[in-house]
Amino acid sequence: MRLATIFHLGIKELRGLMRDPILLGLILYSFTVAVYAEARAIPQTLNNAPIAIVDEDGSPLSLRIADAFLRPYFKPPVTITADEMDTRMDAATDTFALDIPPHFQSDLIAGKSPVIQLNVDATRMTQAFSGSGYVQSIVAQEITGFAATQTISQIPRVDLALRARFNPELNQTWFGSVMNVINMVTMLSIILTGTALIREREHGTVEHLLVMPVTPLEIMLAKVWSMGLVVFVATGLSLVFMVEGLLQVPIEGSLGLFMAGAALDLLATTAMGIALATIAGSMPQFGLLLMLVLMPLQILSGATTPRESMPEAIQTIMLAAPNTHFITMAQAILYRGAGFATVWPQFLWLAAIAAVLFVFSLLGFRRSLR
């Protein structure tokens, strides 16, 4: 394998891309207009949301409130301590953390107005946007039911202090813009590498390459680095100029660490694009395969709906998808300011999946050339 050959073959791919106005327009649209439009989308559903209870009162009323969070809206509540609350929230373990203060029931009976604190992971917009309203309604309903069994002439007011973590304004723009950039990384890396290979096959240039002193590995590596580089640069520019610039979305973590993870994800998804192109015999067939692959990847990876809302079997199967780990890593870095010590498992998963997909794609590519 010669690095100079891989470099020049990659330059050839970039020149071919520059002569394709349709693909250039798709790249420009995906990282600009599509990001802006998705940032304005409004999340709607609440299903199977994880919630934790910090019960500092230990009274019948606090237990009643904890038992009121039922499926399908919430997972069974997990009882934690006050010290664990922020740690679990930082690790994206809980979407909601309800802190019931000491003497809550006795203060209520005495006619005081106690305050319950609700912490919300606002990066999970599909749950956080409507879930805080569900929590407030459930707490109010249980307090009303409890007061009806007590000798309380007038039900005192109970305030629920809402604290939205990582997105204090509950602004869907913060969520939609970043998630759409991440989705475009997966989509365009598969499309660009797949179309590059199919274009070679339809124009007959693959046969021309094979009579030259180049190997299938060199051809594949050239397509991977060139198309991956295009998406890599477009991702960085979109985050800086569209997300941070135009949409004014704050990036909490290291952009460099995120881009390192994006490079690993691109290695996996570009290899996936080549694998699909070797299976497809033509561009129409490749388009049909894209619909079968891209939609499950984007819908079931946690980009739009948290994985906790999905069946256990789907969650397990999607662990084999590279963008599942890429999305988890991206949310931790860009929203929560996580460092490498927090996201190293996702880096490890991405490296392993990328290696497997690359080998699988290379074997398929070699077989298609026989």
Side-chain angles (χ1 to χ4, degrees), residues 12-137:
K12 177 187 72 69
E13 297 294 338
L14 293 175
R15 288 174 176 171
L17 177 63
M18 295 301 295
R19 291 193 294 267
D20 193 328
I22 301 299
L23 286 180
L24 289 176
L26 176 63
I27 295 170
L28 181 62
Y29 170 84
S30 299
F31 286 101
T32 54
V33 178
V35 171
Y36 185 87
E38 182 67 20
R40 303 301 180 185
I42 300 177
Q44 299 175 359
T45 59
L46 177 71
N47 181 58
N48 217 23
I51 183 170
I53 306 290
V54 180
D55 189 355
E56 300 183 85
D57 188 28
S59 64
L61 176 56
S62 63
L63 295 176
R64 176 172 178 160
I65 293 174
D67 292 339
F69 296 97
L70 304 174
R71 293 182 184 274
Y73 300 111
F74 297 94
K75 283 188 172 182
V78 179
T79 302
I80 62 174
T81 65
D83 294 334
E84 295 176 296
M85 184 168 56
D86 286 346
T87 302
R88 289 173 62 90
M89 191 70 70
D90 290 341
T93 304
D94 303 316
T95 302
F96 304 98
L98 191 68
D99 187 356
I100 302 175
H103 314 298
F104 174 69
Q105 177 178 301
S106 59
D107 288 347
L108 185 71
I109 295 174
K112 300 179 181 179
S113 297
V115 178
I116 297 179
Q117 184 184 80
L118 175 63
N119 293 309
V120 182
D121 182 354
T123 63
R124 301 181 172 188
M125 285 300 298
T126 53
Q127 293 180 341
F129 192 79
S130 58
S132 57
Y134 279 78
V135 174
Q136 294 181 57
S137 177

Side-chain angles (χ1 to χ4, degrees), residues 347-366:
F347 273 82
L348 195 61
W349 269 101
L350 281 173
I353 294 173
V356 171
L357 285 175
F358 188 87
V359 172
F360 175 80
S361 301
L362 179 60
L363 295 176
F365 183 48
R366 282 176 171 171

Side-chain angles (χ1 to χ4, degrees), residues 5-345:
T5 301
I6 297 171
F7 173 77
H8 289 298
L9 287 174
I11 296 298
K12 177 187 72 69
E13 297 294 338
L14 293 175
R15 288 174 176 171
L17 177 63
M18 295 301 295
R19 291 193 294 267
D20 193 328
I22 301 299
L23 286 180
L24 289 176
L26 176 63
I27 295 170
L28 181 62
Y29 170 84
S30 299
F31 286 101
T32 54
V33 178
V35 171
Y36 185 87
E38 182 67 20
R40 303 301 180 185
I42 300 177
Q44 299 175 359
T45 59
L46 177 71
N47 181 58
N48 217 23
I51 183 170
I53 306 290
V54 180
D55 189 355
E56 300 183 85
D57 188 28
S59 64
L61 176 56
S62 63
L63 295 176
R64 176 172 178 160
I65 293 174
D67 292 339
F69 296 97
L70 304 174
R71 293 182 184 274
Y73 300 111
F74 297 94
K75 283 188 172 182
V78 179
T79 302
I80 62 174
T81 65
D83 294 334
E84 295 176 296
M85 184 168 56
D86 286 346
T87 302
R88 289 173 62 90
M89 191 70 70
D90 290 341
T93 304
D94 303 316
T95 302
F96 304 98
L98 191 68
D99 187 356
I100 302 175
H103 314 298
F104 174 69
Q105 177 178 301
S106 59
D107 288 347
L108 185 71
I109 295 174
K112 300 179 181 179
S113 297
V115 178
I116 297 179
Q117 184 184 80
L118 175 63
N119 293 309
V120 182
D121 182 354
T123 63
R124 301 181 172 188
M125 285 300 298
T126 53
Q127 293 180 341
F129 192 79
S130 58
S132 57
Y134 279 78
V135 174
Q136 294 181 57
S137 177
I138 290 172
V139 171
Q141 182 179 350
E142 293 305 315
I143 291 174
T144 302
F146 173 80
T149 66
Q150 305 295 316
T151 56
I152 304 176
S153 59
Q154 182 178 2
I155 301 174
R157 177 182 176 182
V158 177
D159 293 328
L160 185 67
L162 177 64
R163 185 173 67 139
R165 300 288 304 278
F166 318 118
N167 186 352
E169 299 178 2
L170 286 177
N171 188 342
Q172 66 265 19
T173 300
W174 292 19
F175 175 81
S177 57
V178 174
M179 286 300 100
N180 196 62
V181 170
I182 293 171
N183 283 334
M184 291 307 163
V185 170
T186 301
M187 182 185 77
L188 285 177
S189 57
I190 294 177
I191 290 177
L192 292 181
T193 49
T195 53
L197 180 56
I198 291 178
R199 184 171 54 231
E200 297 262 31
R201 185 183 300 165
E202 290 181 343
H203 293 172
T205 53
V206 171
E207 288 76 9
H208 295 168
L209 288 174
L210 292 176
V211 299
M212 299 174 65
V214 295
T215 64
L217 176 61
E218 292 171 341
I219 297 174
M220 180 174 166
L221 283 174
K223 296 184 185 300
V224 166
W225 84 254
S226 57
M227 298 299 102
L229 178 63
V230 171
V231 179
F232 184 84
V233 172
T235 301
L237 293 176
S238 182
L239 283 174
V240 172
F241 294 105
M242 285 298 301
V243 177
E244 287 190 294
L246 180 62
L247 294 170
Q248 297 294 306
V249 178
I251 300 298
E252 296 295 333
S254 168
L255 191 59
L257 183 61
F258 166 76
M259 295 304 292
L264 276 178
D265 181 68
L266 283 170
L267 178 60
T269 51
T270 50
M272 189 184 300
I274 290 178
L276 293 178
T278 56
I279 296 173
S282 62
M283 195 67 76
Q285 292 180 2
F286 180 65
L288 292 174
L289 280 176
L290 282 178
M291 288 190 290
L292 293 175
V293 173
L294 281 179
M295 291 183 66
L297 281 179
Q298 295 187 348
I299 294 174
L300 303 178
S301 60
T304 55
T305 302
R307 297 182 66 244
E308 293 83 358
S309 300
M310 305 174 193
E312 292 288 342
I314 297 298
Q315 294 184 41
T316 303
I317 292 171
M318 289 305 295
L319 288 175
N323 59 325
T324 297
H325 308 282
F326 181 48
I327 288 168
T328 302
M329 177 207 69
Q331 289 181 341
I333 295 173
L334 299 180
Y335 290 135
R336 305 181 186 95
F340 184 75
T342 301
V343 298
W344 69 264

